[in-house]
Amino acid sequence: DTGVSQDPRHKITKRGQNVTFRCDPISEHNRLYWYRQTLGQGPEFLTYFQNEAQLEKSRLLSDRFSAERPKGSFSTLEIQRTEQGDSAMYLCASSLGSTETQYFGPGTRLLVL
Amino acid sequence: EDQVTQSPEALRLQEGESSSLNCSYTVSGLRGLFWYRQDPGKGPEFLFTLYSAGEEKEKERLKATLTKKESFLHITAPKPEDSATYLCAVRAGGGNKLTFGTGTQLKVEL
């Protein structure tokens, strides 16, 4: 299967700890997106990359959040000093070009205790 | 700011009972309207993209249509395996992000 993959699938952490998630897009997809989804809501955009360049960030992405895509392939999303409000499903998507469909991965479910 | 509203929030159907889900949107310069299906605990699965009013797309028991203000997802003779949350999203203006609605949770019973 060559779909979008995310790791880990589940993460439980204590408030104040740092966590890092990884996303591997569909090969050859040059655009990569991060979204956050809470229970009963649709996904909310966080940030997106074209190749290795981070071109857009949402106001939702506070200073505690940082994302990278160092070689234009996989991406990481780090949350520093986690808070209970960070508990959510973090979704990664990729697309080929700006007009193509975004395909989503299975998500990483984060629970902050 | 782009807005997407889906209705109803939840829908319960008997197997074979056709119905429609609604997605109304307010955007500046629509560049695509997307329908996704999401099963519990999983990521959204792509269904359709619509670009202009009057466009229609079909896949098995699903048919998506688009007007200048809303989109409908018609489900014909649904089966229990069609039970899921259906999400509508738009891409608009010069950006690349998708703006999602809150979804319609569909349950199809025997």
Side-chain angles (χ1 to χ4, degrees):
Chain A
D1 183 69
T2 57
V4 178
S5 62
Q6 293 187 245
D7 185 70
R9 295 292 310 278
H10 304 275
K11 179 72 177 178
I12 300 175
T13 191
K14 293 182 179 180
R15 188 178 55 182
Q17 297 295 304
N18 298 345
V19 294
T20 300
F21 310 140
R22 176 179 170 127
C23 170
D24 287 89
I26 295 170
S27 62
E28 299 180 358
H29 278 195
N30 59 340
R31 297 195 177 217
L32 187 147
Y33 310 79
W34 285 98
Y35 291 81
R36 180 172 68 185
Q37 185 177 26
T38 54
L39 201 61
Q41 300 298 312
E44 295 177 291
F45 171 79
L46 293 178
T47 188
Y48 104 92
F49 293 83
Q50 180 174 330
N51 299 312
E52 66 275 9
Q54 187 175 17
L55 297 184
E56 188 175 352
K57 292 195 293 186
S58 163
R59 288 169 294 179
L60 292 175
L61 214 64
S62 75
D63 292 344
R64 296 184 298 105
F65 287 70
S66 63
E68 294 182 341
R69 195 182 182 199
K71 297 184 179 179
S73 56
F74 73 91
S75 175
T76 58
L77 177 68
E78 181 183 17
I79 309 175
Q80 296 182 328
R81 304 181 305 281
T82 53
E83 302 173 355
Q84 288 183 326
D86 297 331
S87 295
M89 172 82 90
Y90 289 84
L91 294 162
C92 176
S94 69
S95 71
L96 182 61
S98 63
T99 59
E100 295 296 328
T101 299
Q102 294 181 25
Y103 294 92
F104 283 81
T108 294
R109 182 168 294 283
L110 173 66
L111 177 61
V112 182
L113 301 176
Chain B
E1 186 173 328
D2 303 332
Q3 289 191 333
V4 179
T5 303
Q6 292 188 246
S7 62
E9 289 185 5
L11 181 62
R12 181 170 289 186
L13 300 174
Q14 296 296 311
E15 185 175 14
E17 180 185 1
S18 302
S19 188
S20 296
L21 313 183
N22 177 264
C23 170
S24 62
Y25 60 91
T26 304
V27 300
S28 181
L30 183 70
R31 291 173 50 217
L33 184 139
F34 302 80
W35 283 98
Y36 288 85
R37 168 194 170 126
Q38 187 173 31
D39 292 302
K42 297 188 177 181
E45 175 189 346
F46 171 71
L47 294 173
F48 303 109
T49 307
L50 302 167
Y51 290 104
S52 56
E55 190 174 358
E56 298 182 352
K57 296 249 178 103
E58 284 189 70
K59 178 181 178 180
E60 298 180 352
R61 295 178 293 282
L62 301 177
K63 178 180 177 180
T65 63
L66 181 65
T67 73
K68 289 185 178 180
K69 294 183 179 181
E70 58 191 349
S71 177
F72 292 94
L73 184 65
H74 307 278
I75 304 177
T76 302
K79 298 181 177 181
E81 53 261 43
D82 294 323
S83 298
T85 295
Y86 291 85
L87 295 166
C88 171
V90 297
R91 179 163 56 205
N96 292 275
K97 69 177 184 180
L98 296 180
T99 300
F100 282 84
T102 54
T104 292
Q105 189 173 357
L106 173 66
K107 184 170 178 59
V108 182
E109 299 173 330
L110 291 170

